[in-house]
Amino acid sequence: MHRSKLSRSILLALGLVGAGGAIAADAGTAGTSSSGNAAAPTQLDAMLVTGTRASNRTQFETLAPVDVFTKQDIQSVDSTDLKDVLAQLVPSFVVQRLPMADGQVFVRPATLRGLSPDQTLVLVNGRRFHRSALLGNRGAQAADLAQIPTSAIKRIEVLRDGASAQYGSDAIAGVINIILEDSPGTEITAGYSQYAQGDGGSRDFSARTGWALGDYGSLALFAESSNSDATSRTRQRPDAIAFQAAHPKLDVPNPVQRWGQPKLESRRVGFNLKANASDTLELYAFGLYSHSDGVSDFNWRNPDTTTGAYRTTSIFPGWNLRSLYPVGFSPQYGNTQNDLQLVAGLRGEITPKLRWDLSASYGRNAIDYSLDNSINASLGPDSPTSFDLGRLTQTEKNANADFNYEWDVAALSKPVNVAFGAEFRQETYQVRAGDPASYAVGRGAAAGLEANSNGAPGFSASQAGQWSQRSKAAYVDMEVPLGERWSIGAAGRYEDFSSFGSTVDGKLSARFAITPDVALRGTLSTGFRAPTPAQLNTTSTTQGLDTRTLQIFTSGRLSPSDPLAQLLGAKPLTPEESRTASLGLTWRTELGLSGSVDVYRITLSDRFSQSASFAIPAGTPNPLGYTSVNYFTNDFDTTTTGVDVVGNYLRDLGAGRMTLTLAYNYNQTRVDNGSTSVATNETQRVLFEDRLPEHKGSFTGSWDVGAWSLMARVRYYGKWTDSTGNATGDIYQQFGAMTFLDLAVGYRINEHHSLRVGADNVFDRYPDEATFQASRGLIYSRNAPYDTDGANVYAQYRLTF
């Protein structure tokens, strides 16, 4: 197809500061050797749009480490959840399952380089992707990658370096840029997977079609559907066994509660449009919409011991909860999400050397929570058994003006690339109250009957509200080629937030080519992550089960501005600030061997987390019956050191092509000072230092021969430490290293039809049992950094035309 002057000159790397929306070669594009002959294709030859504003950078030439994953890499992982895909592909990326962890069952936290989930910036086509409405247990509010359809992705670029000076708040650990498909053609995929234990069946369907709009652009449409059954890795609770023995005429379910993945249905659609208005003007737009419904179990309430719900009182004569739930009850926690991202923009050129890009985006994530099979015991017989718990909504609006200038300097053989621009962003967070019965304190509370919907109290009218924060930013970024061997870069960004003021961050980068195929690179940068409106203003209430006493306890997380929180020591939140240094060596050869080794050190000050838990001071009103309360705070510093090793080897083997890929990450975090370094908040120290493996790696081999393709992947996770919260403190358990083997085989029937079958965790391996959770029927830790459901087998059919 004929491409306009615009398409040839500016479709590379404008995006949000020059990232995204590019026409770029997939990984495997041939490089050039020092002799001028075509080198063997390597994974370091992919054209980049992330981490650089220059339009001609490849993965080998970039000044900071970037991983590039093609559509084939993404399809090699059997999951429609992008978090699971990245967890298998990116060495320092970890995601947890977290069964029975309230909203985190559905919006699972994912970390890069062991840092907080909201310290990684997510882009789609180079545009900032909005956050989830959920705040995790430690207060992180990150983008939910699961809302992005994997079948719509052309490639993924992961910048493993601090980039706040280039991209703004959140880019402390790195940047994940999702590039959507824009190529013509149609692809339809249907798949089914199931765990070896016979549960967790998943039915997946996706369709993508694209058209070239003559000489004027392209349009791609996406649709994806996934329907997953629940899993259960559970033993009957000891107290349930005792209850059955004490009441032989009752039929107690076995198990009384389920530990495992939730039942989840998801639907996702989207589009990606590019249209040339003239030779020097292009209109572009894309949109993604996702809807999901899920249900998860909560802890079982034992009629013989849950006195707060099963107590009989004269306030409600003749009413006994045993008549409604004679064998106890396990509340069912429901989650309905609607997620939307819309982006539109214009880009063009003033001169062939000066290009511009204007864009606007709107993102919204709304989560409705519900609770079934429950009770507000304080309301007695007037209580419903199903509750609307309320809604959380995160809305973001962005406007960007980006410019890129190729500045010819007489003393230099190549132009200096100068990028500059401005950004305006507004974040709004809203909490809608639930049913009054979900948070009511009924008259039975005076007799000891528990208030609120049992399992998850609804958002009350006092918790409801709407809060906004605005920011304005300006940036400049330069890349200077100092001859054939040296390249240097410098970036600076000023950003002003309505909630707490302004910040300035910078970045220096350099690359030295020892030979045309071996280079050293390094960066120094500062970064920041601004507190969100949700973190600044909201409160929440959660319930848990003490694993020693098996009694329900209620905890409150207060806003830092709450008078009680301030009485207990809370102070206004401030931005987290970082300093990052990295040094790396990268290479490629004509033999098909390429790779990189990068060491890094990230120091973070004023890190964000939860305070230690405090008992309610005597004489303080406590209508919700809190056992303890805490609040968000920045009060400690950490240092993270690590190394990333990535190696690729491509060669002909027999009649086919073999590819070997090694990816390894060592990552260690240590608390330097703050309340987490002392016994008053030992839990937070353990979580930051030991909750994730320090070692994680994978080795993948694939062989494509004729119509067949074979894949084997070994995944390794080092030891880690788990903790569980109780009313009186935490219990810890260390888990050893784990290794998993994944296998897959594909067969191309003809140019249109193909089949693929495989299994993850072929040998059906499980970690050590979580002994401290045995009283609740849990077998394997719910905080594990890998899937604990055993072997998963799958089959997939793909039609392309």
Side-chain angles (χ1 to χ4, degrees), residues 72-138:
Q72 290 71 32
D73 295 324
I74 298 166
Q75 291 176 346
S76 73
V77 180
D78 177 54
S79 179
T80 59
D81 189 327
L82 184 54
K83 292 180 181 178
D84 291 328
V85 173
L86 288 171
Q88 292 204 23
L89 297 178
V90 180
S92 62
F93 190 89
V94 176
V95 63
Q96 299 165 284
R97 278 290 181 192
L98 295 176
M100 205 184 295
D102 295 354
Q104 292 189 121
V105 175
F106 307 100
V107 184
R108 296 180 296 147
T111 65
L112 187 67
R113 288 184 164 178
L115 301 182
S116 177
D118 53 6
Q119 290 169 346
T120 298
L121 178 64
V122 176
L123 308 175
V124 177
N125 280 355
R127 298 297 186 271
R128 178 184 285 264
F129 191 72
H130 57 275
R131 309 177 197 274
S132 167
L134 176 72
L135 277 71
N137 282 346
R138 290 193 297 142

Side-chain angles (χ1 to χ4, degrees), residues 512-597:
F512 176 71
I514 302 172
T515 74
D517 296 317
V518 180
L520 283 170
R521 62 191 179 196
T523 66
L524 293 171
S525 65
T526 62
F528 70 102
R529 192 202 64 81
T532 68
Q535 293 166 339
L536 291 168
N537 298 286
T538 63
T539 65
S540 68
T541 304
T542 58
Q543 291 184 345
L545 185 74
D546 191 300
T547 58
R548 293 186 175 113
T549 66
L550 295 183
Q551 294 297 306
I552 302 297
F553 63 90
T554 303
S555 299
R557 193 266 301 154
L558 307 177
S559 163
S561 59
D562 185 281
L564 176 56
Q566 292 179 343
L567 177 67
L568 296 171
K571 295 180 173 63
L573 294 178
T574 61
E576 299 171 307
E577 298 184 353
S578 69
R579 297 182 302 277
T580 300
S582 68
L583 179 65
L585 176 71
T586 181
W587 67 89
R588 62 183 180 184
T589 72
E590 295 183 12
L591 300 176
L593 179 65
S594 64
S596 62
V597 177

Side-chain angles (χ1 to χ4, degrees), residues 28-42 45 517 588-592:
T29 301
T32 303
S33 70
S34 58
S35 63
N37 297 323
T42 74
D45 291 322
D517 296 317
R588 62 183 180 184
T589 72
E590 295 183 12
L591 300 176

Side-chain angles (χ1 to χ4, degrees), residues 1 13 60 67 142 145 234 236 275 279 307 342 349 391 446 563 737 748 764:
M1 182 186 74
F60 175 70
D67 294 322
L145 287 161
T234 316
Q236 183 66 303
D279 281 352
T307 56
L342 291 173
E349 62 180 40
R391 173 185 295 172
R748 190 176 65 254
D764 200 28

Side-chain angles (χ1 to χ4, degrees), residues 635-650:
D635 70 340
F636 64 101
D637 305 334
T638 63
T639 298
T640 298
T641 55
V643 58
D644 286 321
V645 180
V646 178
N648 296 282
Y649 181 52
L650 285 75

Side-chain angles (χ1 to χ4, degrees), residues 85-275:
V85 173
L86 288 171
Q88 292 204 23
L89 297 178
V90 180
S92 62
F93 190 89
V94 176
V95 63
Q96 299 165 284
R97 278 290 181 192
L98 295 176
M100 205 184 295
D102 295 354
Q104 292 189 121
V105 175
F106 307 100
V107 184
R108 296 180 296 147
T111 65
L112 187 67
R113 288 184 164 178
L115 301 182
S116 177
D118 53 6
Q119 290 169 346
T120 298
L121 178 64
V122 176
L123 308 175
V124 177
N125 280 355
R127 298 297 186 271
R128 178 184 285 264
F129 191 72
H130 57 275
R131 309 177 197 274
S132 167
L134 176 72
L135 277 71
N137 282 346
R138 290 193 297 142
Q141 188 184 5
D144 184 10
L145 287 161
Q147 303 302 321
I148 301 172
T150 57
S151 59
I153 299 174
K154 182 176 184 177
R155 71 180 185 280
I156 303 172
E157 298 179 357
V158 181
L159 171 64
R160 294 179 278 109
D161 194 41
S164 292
Q166 296 169 290
Y167 295 93
S169 181
D170 306 345
I172 291 177
V175 179
I176 298 174
N177 190 11
I178 313 298
I179 309 299
L180 299 178
E181 268 285 6
D182 57 0
S183 57
T186 299
E187 181 175 277
I188 299 173
T189 304
Y192 180 79
S193 65
Q194 182 175 287
Y195 285 94
Q197 291 199 21
D199 58 5
S202 179
R203 295 154 291 279
D204 306 312
F205 176 84
S206 66
R208 178 195 63 82
T209 187
W211 302 271
L213 304 177
D215 290 341
Y216 301 102
S218 63
L219 173 64
L221 302 177
F222 325 111
E224 190 172 278
S225 170
S226 179
N227 189 333
S228 301
D229 297 331
T231 63
S232 179
R233 301 294 175 267
T234 316
R235 292 194 183 103
Q236 183 66 303
R237 284 174 46 160
D239 60 332
I241 296 174
F243 179 80
Q244 178 69 86
H247 306 275
K249 294 184 179 181
L250 296 178
D251 185 12
V252 180
N254 187 4
V256 289
Q257 67 186 62
R258 181 186 54 80
W259 292 96
Q261 300 177 34
K263 178 178 175 58
L264 184 64
E265 296 182 7
S266 302
R267 306 289 184 268
R268 307 181 186 100
V269 295
F271 73 93
N272 190 20
L273 170 68
K274 300 177 183 178

